[in-house]
Amino acid sequence: MTTIAIKRALLSVSDKTGVVDLARTLAGRGVELVSTGGTAKALRDAGLEVRDVSDLTGFPEMMDGRVKTLHPMVHGGLLAVRDDPAHAAAMGEHQIGAIDLVVVNLYPFAQTVAKGAERPEVIENIDIGGPSMVRSAAKNHAFVAIVTDPADYEIVARGETTFDERKRLAAKAFAATATYDSMIASWFGFADQGERFPATLPFVLEAPRVLRYGENPHQQAAFYRHAGPATPGIGQARQVQGKELSYNNLNDADAALELVSEFRDAGPTCVIVKHANPCGVATGASLAEAYEAAFACDTVSAFGGIIALNRTLDAATARAITGIFTEVVVAPDADEEAIALFAAKKNLRLLLTGSLPDPARGGLTAKTIAGGWLVQSRDGGVLSDDMLKVVTKRQPTPQELADCRFAWSVAKHVKSNAIVYAKDGSTAGVGAGQMNRLESARIAAWKAKDAADKAGWGQPRTIGSAVASDAFFPFADGLMAAVEAGATAVIQPGGSIRDAEVIAAADEAGLAMVFSGMRHFRH
């Protein structure tokens, strides 16, 4: 039978949104309503006639509600294959009535954890009967409809379901229980047991947004968000305007947001990213000033780039940004005048995140390789004063040290091998993704010279700059390239077997060099 009329429905929900309206509609179509606990009370309060599950099973709800639906009178009515003579005979012998519709949503486990509840309350919010009914109904979807999402109430409100509808609802139901169990397993492994890498790593993603294509037009792509509470980010941002976001837009916007979050407590800061690498970063007296400084670092790469800001987007900054083609602008918020200015740029995407993520937060990152996943704790490393060790004869000046810190924060987000020159709170040149550190240093210096030529400056901003290296200098040649570019201070992790040689070269050149003791490879 393709279409099945709903004659009996079992409703048991934690989220009671819309359930009274659904029950009233079903009752108006002659459907018998069976319910439990708080759901039954809500339906009776609305004037509906409801049969208690305890009346159906012949057993009272017991053990503080832990045991109510785990009974053959319920699961027999859900699992029976209606056109199987043996099943039909068993139903008749034991007076088991068929249940045609189950409406269930589960105890709010994730919300309970998110609010910081104590362990006993978390445990009590692990639903047992609900998932059992969901799975029974979903398995027997040939005859039973299962609804786990209030958004699907309209499908069953007409009092009958088709086989295709029941298949779709069953698929959604199994995904719901898989998500639920995964969240519970994650809590037990990470929070309750304190494991860094549990024996099984549940990875729950939901609500796919199908994208136009992947990195290239011949690839298909979608964006999935994390189930449960999420860190403020691109996936949760509100898109105010602009074209649909592409795979590359999302990837680059995330890179820009992660970098600008390093400066969430700093002055007005602008980050410009191209192909997931920063091409200009600056802090200024205003966002507009920060944007102009970041843009001047690499006016060529900035075309078609992604911009992230650490403050509310204002009209002056919006006006400056509209001077060239920009793909995406990300900010915590935007004022009405800025939004109105952007409205004239129909293709420009504006994303408002509400807040910036904590750069020092924990969590895991993952990437696929053939046959599995590589998983690691995210790089939440930030510099503290006690980490910094001056290893040269000359101490850095306060401004050099500030520029070292600035360059280091940017280098953390540049593909390795990474070299970043910075001066007065602005990047001067960025060298990314080279196979050796010497070439990265040379490329960054060349880009700084090119920027100076385009701007008509008398000299590149690498003169008197600080330079950051994401990993140690294995030889002095990369350091000497920075010296030739005009850098006067260096920050690097240290830890090479040739550290003494590199320090000696820095002393001979009159550099101030600081070891951070922390590497920031980004492949």
Side-chain angles (χ1 to χ4, degrees):
M1 183 182 295
T2 299
T3 299
I4 291 181
I6 300 171
K7 298 178 181 178
R8 175 185 284 175
L10 196 163
L11 299 88
S12 180
V13 295
S14 292
D15 177 3
K16 296 177 176 53
T17 303
V19 73
V20 170
D21 290 339
L22 173 64
R24 184 176 289 114
T25 300
L26 292 173
R29 298 184 184 281
V31 177
E32 179 187 11
L33 304 178
V34 180
S35 191
T36 64
T39 306
K41 181 179 184 304
L43 299 183
R44 288 195 179 100
D45 289 347
L48 294 169
E49 184 177 340
V50 182
R51 185 178 182 187
D52 286 320
V53 164
S54 58
D55 178 52
L56 190 71
T57 63
F59 277 82
E61 293 186 20
M62 62 183 70
M63 301 176 185
D64 298 319
R66 284 190 171 200
V67 179
K68 49 192 174 188
T69 60
L70 297 170
H71 193 280
M73 296 299 286
V74 173
H75 288 273
L78 295 177
L79 286 167
V81 178
R82 311 285 174 81
D83 56 6
D84 183 313
H87 287 210
M91 292 178 75
E93 179 182 354
H94 299 288
Q95 298 183 318
I96 297 173
I99 299 173
D100 309 302
L101 168 66
V102 176
V103 179
V104 169
N105 51 59
L106 309 176
Y107 292 174
F109 178 83
Q111 295 89 326
T112 303
V113 171
K115 74 178 185 180
E118 296 295 326
R119 190 176 193 277
E121 185 180 354
V122 172
I123 297 300
E124 283 308 307
N125 276 277
I126 298 175
D127 202 333
I128 302 300
S132 298
M133 288 192 293
V134 169
R135 291 174 63 82
S136 291
K139 175 176 180 176
N140 203 28
H141 63 269
F143 303 97
V144 182
I146 170 64
V147 176
T148 55
D149 183 349
D152 294 326
Y153 287 174
E154 63 180 1
I155 296 175
V156 297
R158 69 178 189 275
E160 63 181 19
T161 57
T162 67
F163 182 58
D164 285 342
E165 288 169 338
R166 295 192 298 277
K167 281 198 301 181
R168 289 197 301 271
L169 291 170
K172 192 168 184 177
F174 278 119
T177 57
T179 299
Y180 195 74
D181 287 341
S182 295
M183 288 190 291
I184 294 169
S186 292
W187 178 82
F188 268 107
F190 292 111
D192 192 55
Q193 301 300 308
E195 297 176 312
R196 183 179 296 276
F197 299 109
T200 299
L201 180 62
F203 223 50
V204 183
L205 305 173
E206 61 184 11
R209 184 199 311 170
V210 177
L211 307 175
R212 287 177 294 164
Y213 51 82
E215 283 185 285
N216 300 291
H218 64 276
Q219 294 172 269
Q220 296 178 320
F223 168 74
Y224 285 81
R225 63 176 174 82
H226 287 291
T231 298
I234 297 301
Q236 291 70 38
R238 176 170 69 93
Q239 184 171 350
V240 176
Q241 68 160 66
K243 294 191 300 183
E244 179 186 349
L245 289 160
S246 70
Y247 179 100
N248 291 330
N249 291 155
L250 289 165
N251 187 55
D252 290 349
D254 178 68
L257 179 65
E258 289 282 14
L259 174 48
V260 84
S261 295
E262 300 281 349
F263 300 94
R264 67 177 188 166
D265 298 321
T269 301
C270 174
V271 168
I272 306 176
V273 161
K274 192 70 169 291
H275 299 310
N277 271 306
C279 56
V281 183
T283 295
S286 67
L287 277 182
E289 181 180 305
Y291 169 73
E292 294 293 352
F295 175 68
C297 182
D298 188 345
T299 58
V300 174
S301 299
F303 185 85
I306 310 290
I307 295 173
L309 308 166
N310 71 341
R311 301 285 179 86
T312 296
L313 174 66
D314 54 54
T317 310
R319 194 172 290 110
I321 289 171
T322 57
I324 67 162
F325 170 61
T326 298
E327 290 275 8
V328 182
V329 175
V330 184
D333 204 351
D335 65 31
E336 291 303 316
E337 190 176 355
I339 291 173
L341 284 166
F342 273 12
K345 299 285 185 178
K346 300 298 184 184
N347 292 333
L348 172 60
R349 294 92 159 177
L350 174 59
L351 303 180
L352 303 182
T353 59
S355 60
L356 300 178
D358 180 0
R361 69 188 185 279
L364 300 177
T365 64
K367 66 179 294 184
T368 58
I369 60 173
W373 292 69
L374 286 173
V375 179
Q376 63 177 342
S377 59
R378 67 176 303 278
D379 185 359
V382 295
L383 283 180
S384 59
D385 291 339
D386 59 352
M387 292 170 60
L388 300 178
K389 179 184 177 183
V390 179
V391 294
T392 49
K393 295 174 182 177
R394 185 171 79 78
Q395 295 283 320
T397 67
Q399 184 59 55
E400 286 175 330
L401 188 57
D403 285 338
C404 280
R405 285 179 170 275
F406 184 93
W408 182 253
S409 295
V410 176
K412 175 182 173 182
H413 295 266
V414 177
K415 295 294 190 294
S416 299
N417 288 312
I419 293 289
V420 176
Y421 295 91
K423 184 177 181 180
D424 299 330
S426 175
T427 51
V430 179
Q434 299 306 303
M435 286 67 73
N436 66 76
R437 203 156 299 280
L438 173 60
E439 292 303 318
S440 289
R442 287 173 172 168
I443 289 171
W446 174 82
K447 291 173 77 70
K449 184 178 183 304
D450 186 61
D453 291 342
K454 285 183 169 63
W457 300 329
Q459 61 184 21
R461 289 193 294 193
T462 50
I463 304 298
S465 68
V467 62
S469 174
D470 64 345
F472 60 67
F473 286 101
F475 302 97
D477 55 0
L479 180 72
M480 297 317 295
V483 172
E484 291 171 9
T488 59
V490 180
I491 183 168
Q492 59 136 320
S496 168
I497 59 173
R498 293 185 176 84
D499 274 350
E501 175 186 325
V502 174
I503 292 169
D507 279 331
E508 185 176 349
L511 292 179
M513 186 155 64
V514 179
F515 279 7
S516 67
M518 179 187 295
R519 190 178 75 183
H520 280 310
F521 270 157
R522 181 174 291 260
H523 292 108

